[in-house]
Amino acid sequence: MERAVRRAGIDEITLATVWHTLQVCCWEMRYIIERTCQNYLIGQLHDVSVGIFDAEGNAVAMPVGLPVQYFGSFFAVQEIGKRYRGNLRPGDVILTNDPYGGGHCLHLPDWGFFRPVFAGGELVFWVLARAHQQDTGGAYPGGYFPNPYDVHAEGMRIPPLKVIEGGEEKRELWELIWNNVRWPEGTRIDNYAMIAATAHAERRIGRLVEKYGKEVVLGCVGEMMDRTERAMRDAIRRIPDGSYYGESATDDDGTVLDEPVWVRCWVHVRGDELLIDFSESDRQRRGFVNAIYATTYAAAMEGVILAVAPGELAEYHNQGSFRPVRVEAPRGSVVNAEYPAPVGASPVNVGGQVTEAVLMALSKALPERSVAGWGRHRGDYVFGVDPRTGERYVRTSFDYDGTIGAVYGYDGWPCQTTLTALGSVTRGTVEEQEIRIPWRHLVWEYATDLEGAGRWRGGPGMHWEAVNEGGDAMMATGSSDGDETYAPGCLGGESTPPSRTYIRRGSELIRVKAHRLVELKAGDVLVKLSAGGAGVGNPGERDPEKVAEDVRNGLVSLERAKKVYKVVVDPETYQVNWEETKKLRTELKV
């Protein structure tokens, strides 16, 4: 905290109390949703984001969640506020999942519930709960059909609509919505959990305003934003002025196969401001990888905050963090798609590519804060009928993803998944998966030689196998990536290795690439070899003891240790052969 509060009448203790109360309120919203939802993706993997915004739609509190899902949420709050100006009252709840119709949502499975919060009859805040639904209609369950005709094929578009008005539910509207999803009862439970979370936040904020008064609370909010803005500007000033380039690609768009789709950006640093320009990116595509502007903005800001923002701001970002940064993306491009372009895969690809491109550019500007790419998402969306219950099921998961890329000074962490979730989406458990769907796990472990090598290596890759103990089913490899394009390393570090997915059917081994739709048979074994994160720095400069430790742990083979890291490890003792290692590294320098 700074020593002096600039706004009169607000002391440091009050400011800290208000600031942390709003943060805690968001954590409580997440807790309510995750403990109540039945959806595996929400309740177990935490694919949910919440936030608090002021009356004008500026972000006030944004705790841990999916940055790509909530950093751009203020666009939706501002649009909804304009749409319903003069037509809001306590007890209203507005639902939207629409990328185009004022909802600014990433893709159709992410449903957002917005609640206006009043004090003394005046609108003072908005609260938001947004989470990935089990289904949202569309051509196939789960919402990840890789070759849709347009956005309408991906599911039901819900423009910002009051589903609760003055505390009264609009039953006919709810029936229309739930009648157009494949699991209406589960969706109803999840929706009510999210609405309950916003009601809790409304009460929490109400007590805060009652205790301190509206003017004091809003004054604290203004001070919070000013402080984060000053901190961000101070951090940007430490970047040398100049223009820095970064790029990244996804395998294809799901319609035109095996043709990479590129995101290209220039980061221009001028004093205490950044301009991120995506004008050289590809035009929007026929397939489902297109991102709307809010998605690109959020993914770009994630890259900025990872590489630039002071660590003490990690859980306290708000609108002030955004003020020094502008993001330009031309209309009709893959990073600012126009209706009716499909967008189903965009939170991951091209959302992940946006973040990677920004990180690559900023790693050139700030090499001592380099952040390498993470293991690409390897999700699949399997759907069929569970013979144990006779009911339909869909599996949407991140469980088999690779792991985190290295950062300057540190190896990639081995646990979290997918860059655009920034570790907030976690892995589930074997038991939970097997209870929910008719697939039995055979292998789930770290893989050997599937890390991006570097002085600081990326996190390890994953080896996952499961057998289909249900009947015939279908699988969309959805927003997966990494078969043909790879997340980049930094400062001479390796990119992520290639990822592979196979169906083992008897003696036959069938390769399945990302963005495909395939049939599955009873008894099929699904095999995933998911690459880990990329590396930072020359692998030949890695601490030999750390290489030997990786060999002992089965993360790196003896052959790769010698060939890539230039470290000779004794095959019997698994200790470093220092004489041979020194010789090998000396030859490398020569």
Side-chain angles (χ1 to χ4, degrees):
M1 283 290 179
E2 298 180 8
R3 292 186 177 180
V5 177
R6 298 191 174 196
R7 287 171 170 79
I10 302 173
D11 60 86
E12 293 285 1
I13 299 300
T14 300
L15 175 64
T17 301
V18 170
W19 201 331
H20 287 85
T21 297
L22 293 172
Q23 293 293 123
V24 169
C25 180
C26 289
W27 280 104
E28 291 171 347
M29 290 172 68
R30 284 179 61 92
Y31 183 81
I32 289 170
I33 295 169
E34 291 171 355
R35 296 290 292 175
T36 310
C37 280
Q38 56 77 52
N39 182 347
Y40 179 75
L41 199 57
I42 302 174
Q44 300 296 316
L45 307 190
H46 316 296
D47 194 341
V48 55
S49 301
V50 299
I52 299 173
F53 307 81
D54 67 15
E56 287 73 43
N58 298 303
V60 172
M62 302 180 298
V64 172
L66 288 75
V68 74
Q69 194 180 66
Y70 68 80
F71 272 179
S73 292
F74 69 91
F75 292 112
V77 178
Q78 292 171 358
E79 185 77 19
I80 291 169
K82 293 176 183 177
R83 177 176 296 213
Y84 283 99
R85 181 172 292 143
N87 188 24
L88 292 168
R89 55 176 171 157
D92 287 352
V93 176
I94 295 165
L95 165 65
T96 184
N97 74 336
D98 194 358
Y100 297 113
H104 298 280
C105 294
L106 285 71
H107 62 168
L108 298 179
D110 284 338
W111 292 18
F113 289 90
F114 300 75
R115 181 186 291 268
V117 178
F118 292 81
E122 179 185 354
L123 175 66
V124 288
F125 290 104
W126 288 87
V127 295
L128 164 65
R130 174 173 279 153
H132 190 124
Q133 304 302 298
Q134 189 171 5
D135 187 67
T136 189
Y140 289 90
Y144 284 95
F145 179 44
N147 185 22
Y149 179 76
D150 57 19
V151 69
H152 297 281
E154 298 184 305
M156 172 177 45
R157 289 177 59 210
I158 307 171
L161 296 175
K162 285 188 184 182
V163 290
I164 301 177
E165 187 166 19
E168 296 294 325
E169 292 190 52
K170 294 187 174 182
R171 294 303 308 174
E172 294 83 0
L173 187 54
W174 276 123
E175 290 175 7
L176 174 64
I177 292 170
W178 292 331
N179 192 57
N180 280 280
V181 297
R182 294 176 175 86
W183 290 273
E185 182 60 20
T187 304
R188 182 185 69 84
I189 293 169
D190 296 347
N191 291 169
Y192 282 166
M194 296 165 71
I195 292 169
T198 66
H200 171 79
E202 180 183 39
R203 291 190 295 270
R204 254 301 206 154
I205 293 171
R207 290 196 294 269
L208 185 68
V209 172
E210 182 179 353
K211 179 176 181 179
Y212 291 102
K214 180 179 63 178
E215 297 303 323
V216 169
V217 171
L218 294 180
C220 289
V221 167
E223 182 67 20
M224 289 157 52
M225 293 183 187
D226 288 349
R227 290 193 179 190
T228 55
E229 179 180 358
R230 289 197 294 274
M232 281 292 289
R233 290 189 183 278
D234 288 344
I236 293 171
R237 284 192 196 97
R238 292 193 284 270
I239 306 173
D241 278 6
S243 298
Y244 306 93
Y245 179 75
E247 64 181 18
S248 183
T250 182
D251 288 2
D252 54 49
D253 72 356
T255 297
V256 179
L257 301 178
D258 298 320
E259 180 181 296
V261 180
W262 284 90
V263 173
R264 303 178 181 91
C265 84
W266 285 94
V267 176
H268 303 289
V269 184
R270 300 290 185 271
D272 62 357
E273 294 187 346
L274 294 181
L275 169 62
I276 305 176
D277 184 1
F278 291 97
S279 297
E280 296 179 17
S281 299
D282 286 356
R283 301 298 296 169
Q284 72 182 48
R285 304 300 290 260
R286 290 168 53 196
F288 70 158
V289 301
N290 302 289
I292 62 167
Y293 179 78
T295 303
T296 295
Y297 180 91
M301 281 304 310
E302 177 185 348
V304 170
I305 286 171
L306 275 174
V308 174
E312 60 269 19
L313 285 181
E315 295 186 6
Y316 299 98
H317 287 289
N318 54 43
Q319 201 73 29
S321 307
F322 302 154
R323 290 172 183 165
V325 182
R326 288 192 297 125
V327 177
E328 292 185 355
R331 289 184 177 274
S333 67
V334 73
V335 289
N336 189 1
E338 295 186 293
Y339 173 85
V343 296
S346 64
V348 176
N349 33 64
V350 296
Q353 281 69 21
V354 167
T355 304
E356 288 175 2
V358 172
L359 286 174
M360 292 309 103
L362 289 173
S363 291
K364 296 172 184 175
L366 294 169
E368 74 283 359
R369 293 184 67 95
S370 294
V371 180
W374 293 23
R376 294 281 179 84
H377 181 42
R378 298 301 295 174
D380 63 57
Y381 309 90
V382 173
F383 44 94
V385 176
D386 190 335
R388 300 171 298 182
T389 62
E391 296 181 355
R392 292 185 295 177
Y393 73 88
V394 62
R395 178 180 69 206
T396 306
S397 180
F398 294 73
D399 288 342
Y400 14 66
D401 279 8
T403 54
I404 293 177
V407 299
Y408 190 93
Y410 300 92
D411 291 344
W413 190 247
C415 300
Q416 266 63 37
T417 70
T418 191
L419 176 60
T420 54
L422 207 54
S424 65
V425 172
T426 61
R427 305 178 199 276
T429 65
V430 170
E431 294 80 6
E432 188 73 32
Q433 280 271 25
E434 292 183 348
I435 288 170
R436 289 173 179 261
I437 62 172
W439 284 72
R440 179 168 53 87
H441 287 66
L442 304 175
V443 179
W444 195 2
E445 62 189 21
Y446 294 133
T448 303
D449 294 347
L450 268 181
E451 89 297 348
R455 180 180 178 186
W456 300 283
R457 61 155 174 79
M462 300 296 295
H463 177 192
W464 181 95
E465 297 186 18
V467 58
N468 178 13
E469 295 189 339
D472 292 350
M474 297 287 289
M475 177 177 71
T477 50
S479 55
S480 297
D481 221 341
D483 287 273
E484 305 296 338
T485 61
Y486 316 117
C490 300
L491 305 181
E494 283 189 346
S495 65
T496 56
S499 295
R500 295 292 182 262
T501 297
Y502 301 97
I503 298 170
R504 192 161 63 233
R505 183 173 296 159
S507 61
E508 188 179 10
L509 193 65
I510 306 166
R511 183 181 170 191
V512 182
K513 289 187 175 183
H515 308 161
R516 303 316 198 256
L517 184 67
V518 297
E519 294 184 355
L520 298 169
K521 303 293 184 183
D524 281 353
V525 175
L526 187 59
V527 180
K528 288 181 176 288
L529 299 171
S530 304
V536 172
N538 183 351
E541 297 176 357
R542 182 166 176 76
D543 182 347
E545 291 286 8
K546 289 185 177 294
V547 176
E549 182 181 12
D550 288 341
V551 172
R552 288 194 294 272
N553 289 332
L555 302 181
V556 175
S557 67
L558 289 165
E559 295 76 16
R560 183 166 169 82
K562 182 177 181 180
K563 180 178 179 180
V564 177
Y565 292 99
K566 310 304 177 185
V567 175
V568 179
V569 178
D570 187 287
E572 295 183 358
T573 66
Y574 291 101
Q575 300 301 311
V576 178
N577 184 323
W578 287 101
E579 183 177 347
E580 292 298 321
T581 296
K582 183 178 181 180
K583 180 180 178 181
L584 190 62
R585 289 193 166 185
T586 300
E587 292 173 353
L588 176 65
K589 290 179 181 178
V590 173

